[in-house]
Amino acid sequence: MALWRQQVCAVMRVRFLKLKHEGKLLRSILLFFGIFILQMLMILILFQLWDSSSNWEITASSYFLPTEEKIRNKSTNLLIFNDTGSEIGDFISALKTQNIIPEISLEKNITSLPLHNGAIKISLEGKSYRFTVMCSAEPVNCYPTLVNILSNTFLRLFNSTARIRVWSNPFYSVQNPEVKSDIFFTCLGYMLILAAGLPPHFAVSSMEDYKLQARAQLRLAGLYPSAYWCGQALVDVPLFWTL
């Protein structure tokens, strides 16, 4: 057993030195490895770029102006219908803390008012306030924006410093469990192809020993066949799984 262990260590050292000095074999393994890994990295990067470009935070500044003056873009003032019959100064102050300066209207006929991206109607029913959100047909995600504005306004009215944030989350997102599963199995398929293609590279060295009759000479010198293959495996198998 002592001789067998010594032979295994010797074969391991020879195998390691051969891999170190045979740059052609090592370069072919790394090239084969890099081609497959590069494809997987490109797939993952493309998915992440697509997800980051399609998943964005919805802010009130994209729909409503932070000042009273209108500018020539798709933003408008936030229209407030006061149907309570009283002042709503606290509500307006809470809106201004969100960098929104609303446009207050006391008219009853909503259709006669200028076009706005969205509006909030405040009415009084008994002792309770009723809030109704209205949006134009063009702005996308207007309703979530108005509900978020109302939610943060209520937080300010209750003297809370917290803030609710809203993101647009498309159906086909990298964070979706089904999409994650698809990406995982795609990468797994690439890894299986890579794992199937690596063993022939390691077998080339053994074939060269067979052609040069080096293995036969080692056997005549007293090398155990099991020591030869175990020494080879103790270098090739860890390298294979590391890759």
Side-chain angles (χ1 to χ4, degrees), residues 13-50:
R13 188 168 183 269
V14 171
R15 175 61 174 161
F16 179 77
L17 291 175
K18 284 185 66 177
L19 286 176
K20 184 178 178 180
H21 291 289
E22 289 181 359
K24 183 179 180 181
L25 176 63
L26 189 60
R27 284 195 299 269
S28 65
I29 293 176
L30 294 178
L31 178 62
F32 183 77
F33 174 74
I35 290 174
F36 279 86
I37 294 300
L38 182 62
Q39 293 182 12
M40 284 195 293
L41 288 177
M42 290 180 62
I43 291 173
L44 293 175
I45 291 173
L46 289 175
F47 270 114
Q48 290 294 336
L49 290 176
W50 185 87

Coordinates of all heavy atoms in Angstrom, one line a residue, residues 13-50:
R13 N 1.7 13.9 -9.9 CA 2.7 15.0 -10.1 C 3.0 15.1 -11.6 O 3.1 16.2 -12.2 CB 4.0 14.8 -9.3 CG 5.0 15.9 -9.3 CD 6.0 15.7 -8.3 NE 6.9 16.8 -8.3 CZ 8.1 16.9 -9.0 NH1 8.4 15.9 -9.8 NH2 8.9 17.9 -9.0
V14 N 3.2 13.9 -12.2 CA 3.5 13.9 -13.7 C 2.3 14.4 -14.5 O 2.5 15.2 -15.4 CB 3.8 12.4 -14.1 CG1 3.9 12.4 -15.7 CG2 5.1 12.0 -13.5
R15 N 1.1 14.1 -14.1 CA -0.1 14.6 -14.8 C -0.2 16.1 -14.7 O -0.5 16.8 -15.6 CB -1.3 13.9 -14.3 CG -2.6 14.4 -14.8 CD -2.7 14.2 -16.3 NE -4.0 14.5 -16.8 CZ -4.2 14.8 -18.1 NH1 -3.2 14.7 -19.0 NH2 -5.4 15.0 -18.5
F16 N 0.0 16.6 -13.5 CA 0.0 18.0 -13.2 C 1.0 18.8 -14.0 O 0.7 19.8 -14.6 CB 0.1 18.3 -11.7 CG 0.1 19.7 -11.4 CD1 -1.1 20.4 -11.3 CD2 1.2 20.4 -11.1 CE1 -1.2 21.8 -11.0 CE2 1.2 21.8 -10.8 CZ 0.0 22.5 -10.7
L17 N 2.2 18.2 -14.1 CA 3.3 18.9 -14.8 C 3.0 18.8 -16.3 O 3.3 19.8 -17.1 CB 4.6 18.2 -14.6 CG 5.2 18.4 -13.1 CD1 6.4 17.6 -12.9 CD2 5.5 19.9 -12.9
K18 N 2.4 17.8 -16.8 CA 2.0 17.7 -18.2 C 1.0 18.7 -18.6 O 1.0 19.4 -19.6 CB 1.5 16.3 -18.6 CG 2.6 15.2 -18.7 CD 2.0 13.9 -19.1 CE 1.5 14.0 -20.5 NZ 1.0 12.7 -21.0
L19 N 0.0 18.9 -17.7 CA -1.1 19.9 -18.0 C -0.4 21.3 -17.9 O -0.8 22.2 -18.7 CB -2.2 19.8 -16.9 CG -3.2 18.7 -17.1 CD1 -4.1 18.6 -15.9 CD2 -3.9 18.8 -18.4
K20 N 0.5 21.5 -17.0 CA 1.2 22.8 -16.9 C 2.0 23.1 -18.1 O 2.0 24.3 -18.6 CB 2.0 22.8 -15.6 CG 2.7 24.1 -15.3 CD 3.4 24.1 -14.0 CE 4.1 25.4 -13.7 NZ 4.9 25.4 -12.5
H21 N 2.7 22.1 -18.7 CA 3.6 22.4 -19.8 C 2.9 22.3 -21.1 O 3.4 22.8 -22.1 CB 4.8 21.4 -19.7 CG 5.7 21.7 -18.6 ND1 6.5 22.8 -18.5 CD2 5.9 21.0 -17.4 CE1 7.2 22.8 -17.4 NE2 6.9 21.7 -16.7
E22 N 1.9 21.5 -21.2 CA 1.1 21.4 -22.5 C 0.1 22.5 -22.6 O -1.0 22.4 -22.3 CB 0.4 20.0 -22.5 CG 1.3 18.9 -22.7 CD 0.6 17.5 -22.8 OE1 -0.7 17.6 -22.7 OE2 1.2 16.5 -23.0
G23 N 0.6 23.6 -23.1 CA -0.2 24.8 -23.2 C -1.3 24.6 -24.2 O -2.4 25.2 -24.1
K24 N -1.1 23.8 -25.2 CA -2.1 23.6 -26.3 C -3.4 23.0 -25.7 O -4.5 23.4 -26.0 CB -1.5 22.8 -27.4 CG -2.5 22.5 -28.6 CD -1.9 21.7 -29.6 CE -2.8 21.5 -30.8 NZ -2.2 20.7 -31.9
L25 N -3.2 21.9 -24.9 CA -4.3 21.3 -24.3 C -5.1 22.2 -23.3 O -6.3 22.2 -23.4 CB -3.9 20.0 -23.6 CG -5.0 19.2 -22.8 CD1 -6.1 18.7 -23.8 CD2 -4.4 18.1 -22.0
L26 N -4.3 22.9 -22.5 CA -4.9 23.8 -21.5 C -5.7 24.9 -22.2 O -6.8 25.3 -21.8 CB -3.9 24.3 -20.6 CG -4.4 25.1 -19.4 CD1 -5.3 24.2 -18.5 CD2 -3.2 25.7 -18.6
R27 N -5.1 25.5 -23.3 CA -5.8 26.5 -24.1 C -7.0 26.0 -24.7 O -8.0 26.8 -24.8 CB -4.8 27.1 -25.1 CG -3.7 28.0 -24.5 CD -3.1 28.8 -25.6 NE -2.4 28.0 -26.6 CZ -1.2 27.6 -26.5 NH1 -0.4 28.0 -25.5 NH2 -0.6 26.8 -27.5
S28 N -7.0 24.8 -25.2 CA -8.2 24.3 -25.9 C -9.3 24.1 -24.9 O -10.5 24.3 -25.1 CB -7.9 23.0 -26.6 OG -7.5 22.0 -25.6
I29 N -9.0 23.6 -23.6 CA -10.0 23.4 -22.6 C -10.6 24.8 -22.2 O -11.8 25.0 -22.1 CB -9.4 22.7 -21.4 CG1 -9.0 21.3 -21.8 CG2 -10.3 22.7 -20.2 CD1 -8.3 20.5 -20.6
L30 N -9.7 25.8 -22.0 CA -10.2 27.1 -21.6 C -11.0 27.8 -22.7 O -12.0 28.5 -22.4 CB -9.0 28.0 -21.2 CG -8.2 27.5 -19.9 CD1 -7.0 28.5 -19.7 CD2 -9.1 27.5 -18.7
L31 N -10.6 27.6 -23.9 CA -11.3 28.1 -25.1 C -12.7 27.5 -25.1 O -13.7 28.2 -25.3 CB -10.6 27.9 -26.4 CG -11.3 28.4 -27.6 CD1 -11.5 29.9 -27.6 CD2 -10.5 28.1 -28.9
F32 N -12.8 26.2 -25.0 CA -14.0 25.5 -25.0 C -14.9 25.9 -23.9 O -16.1 26.2 -24.0 CB -13.8 24.0 -25.0 CG -15.0 23.1 -25.0 CD1 -15.6 22.9 -26.3 CD2 -15.6 22.6 -23.9 CE1 -16.8 22.1 -26.3 CE2 -16.7 21.8 -24.0 CZ -17.3 21.5 -25.2
F33 N -14.3 26.1 -22.7 CA -15.0 26.5 -21.5 C -15.5 28.0 -21.7 O -16.7 28.3 -21.4 CB -14.1 26.4 -20.3 CG -14.7 27.0 -19.1 CD1 -15.7 26.3 -18.4 CD2 -14.2 28.2 -18.6 CE1 -16.2 26.8 -17.2 CE2 -14.7 28.7 -17.4 CZ -15.7 28.0 -16.7
G34 N -14.6 28.8 -22.3 CA -15.0 30.2 -22.4 C -16.1 30.5 -23.4 O -16.9 31.4 -23.2
I35 N -16.2 29.7 -24.5 CA -17.2 29.9 -25.5 C -18.6 29.7 -24.9 O -19.5 30.5 -25.1 CB -17.0 29.0 -26.7 CG1 -15.8 29.4 -27.5 CG2 -18.2 28.9 -27.6 CD1 -15.4 28.4 -28.6
F36 N -18.7 28.6 -24.1 CA -20.0 28.3 -23.5 C -20.4 29.3 -22.4 O -21.5 29.7 -22.2 CB -20.1 26.9 -23.0 CG -20.3 25.9 -24.0 CD1 -19.3 25.4 -24.8 CD2 -21.6 25.4 -24.3 CE1 -19.5 24.4 -25.8 CE2 -21.8 24.5 -25.3 CZ -20.8 24.0 -26.1
I37 N -19.4 29.6 -21.5 CA -19.7 30.6 -20.4 C -20.0 31.9 -21.0 O -20.9 32.6 -20.5 CB -18.5 30.6 -19.5 CG1 -18.3 29.3 -18.8 CG2 -18.6 31.7 -18.5 CD1 -19.5 28.8 -18.0
L38 N -19.3 32.3 -22.1 CA -19.6 33.6 -22.7 C -21.1 33.7 -23.1 O -21.7 34.8 -23.0 CB -18.7 33.9 -23.8 CG -18.8 35.3 -24.5 CD1 -18.5 36.4 -23.5 CD2 -17.8 35.4 -25.7
Q39 N -21.6 32.7 -23.7 CA -22.9 32.7 -24.2 C -23.9 32.8 -23.0 O -24.9 33.5 -23.1 CB -23.2 31.4 -25.0 CG -22.5 31.3 -26.3 CD -22.8 30.0 -27.1 OE1 -23.8 29.3 -26.7 NE2 -22.1 29.7 -28.1
M40 N -23.7 32.1 -21.9 CA -24.5 32.2 -20.8 C -24.5 33.5 -20.2 O -25.5 34.1 -19.7 CB -24.1 31.1 -19.7 CG -24.6 29.7 -20.1 SD -24.5 28.6 -18.7 CE -22.8 28.5 -18.4
L41 N -23.3 34.1 -20.1 CA -23.2 35.5 -19.5 C -23.9 36.5 -20.4 O -24.6 37.4 -19.9 CB -21.7 35.9 -19.4 CG -20.9 35.2 -18.3 CD1 -19.4 35.6 -18.4 CD2 -21.5 35.5 -16.9
M42 N -23.8 36.3 -21.7 CA -24.6 37.3 -22.6 C -26.1 37.1 -22.4 O -26.8 38.1 -22.4 CB -24.2 37.0 -24.1 CG -22.8 37.4 -24.4 SD -22.4 37.0 -26.1 CE -23.5 38.1 -27.0
I43 N -26.6 35.9 -22.2 CA -28.0 35.7 -22.0 C -28.4 36.4 -20.7 O -29.4 37.1 -20.7 CB -28.3 34.2 -22.0 CG1 -28.1 33.6 -23.4 CG2 -29.8 33.9 -21.5 CD1 -28.3 32.1 -23.4
L44 N -27.7 36.1 -19.6 CA -28.0 36.7 -18.4 C -27.9 38.2 -18.4 O -28.8 38.9 -17.8 CB -27.1 36.2 -17.3 CG -27.2 34.7 -16.9 CD1 -26.2 34.2 -15.9 CD2 -28.6 34.4 -16.4
I45 N -26.9 38.8 -19.1 CA -26.8 40.2 -19.1 C -27.9 40.8 -19.9 O -28.5 41.9 -19.6 CB -25.4 40.6 -19.8 CG1 -24.3 40.3 -18.8 CG2 -25.4 42.1 -20.1 CD1 -22.9 40.4 -19.4
L46 N -28.3 40.2 -21.0 CA -29.4 40.7 -21.9 C -30.7 40.7 -21.1 O -31.5 41.6 -21.1 CB -29.5 39.9 -23.1 CG -28.5 40.1 -24.2 CD1 -28.6 39.1 -25.3 CD2 -28.5 41.5 -24.7
F47 N -30.9 39.6 -20.3 CA -32.1 39.5 -19.5 C -32.2 40.6 -18.4 O -33.2 41.3 -18.2 CB -32.2 38.2 -18.8 CG -33.0 37.2 -19.6 CD1 -32.4 36.0 -20.1 CD2 -34.4 37.3 -19.8 CE1 -33.1 35.1 -20.9 CE2 -35.1 36.4 -20.6 CZ -34.4 35.3 -21.1
Q48 N -31.0 40.9 -17.8 CA -30.9 41.9 -16.7 C -31.1 43.3 -17.3 O -31.8 44.2 -16.7 CB -29.6 41.8 -16.0 CG -29.4 40.6 -15.1 CD -30.4 40.6 -14.0 OE1 -30.9 41.6 -13.5 NE2 -30.7 39.4 -13.5
L49 N -30.5 43.6 -18.5 CA -30.7 44.9 -19.1 C -32.1 45.1 -19.5 O -32.7 46.2 -19.4 CB -29.8 45.0 -20.4 CG -28.3 45.1 -20.1 CD1 -27.5 45.1 -21.4 CD2 -28.0 46.3 -19.3
W50 N -32.8 44.1 -20.1 CA -34.2 44.2 -20.5 C -35.1 44.4 -19.3 O -36.0 45.2 -19.3 CB -34.6 42.9 -21.2 CG -36.0 43.0 -21.8 CD1 -36.4 43.6 -23.0 CD2 -37.2 42.6 -21.1 NE1 -37.7 43.5 -23.1 CE2 -38.3 42.9 -22.0 CE3 -37.5 42.1 -19.9 CZ2 -39.6 42.7 -21.7 CZ3 -38.8 41.8 -19.6 CH2 -39.9 42.1 -20.5

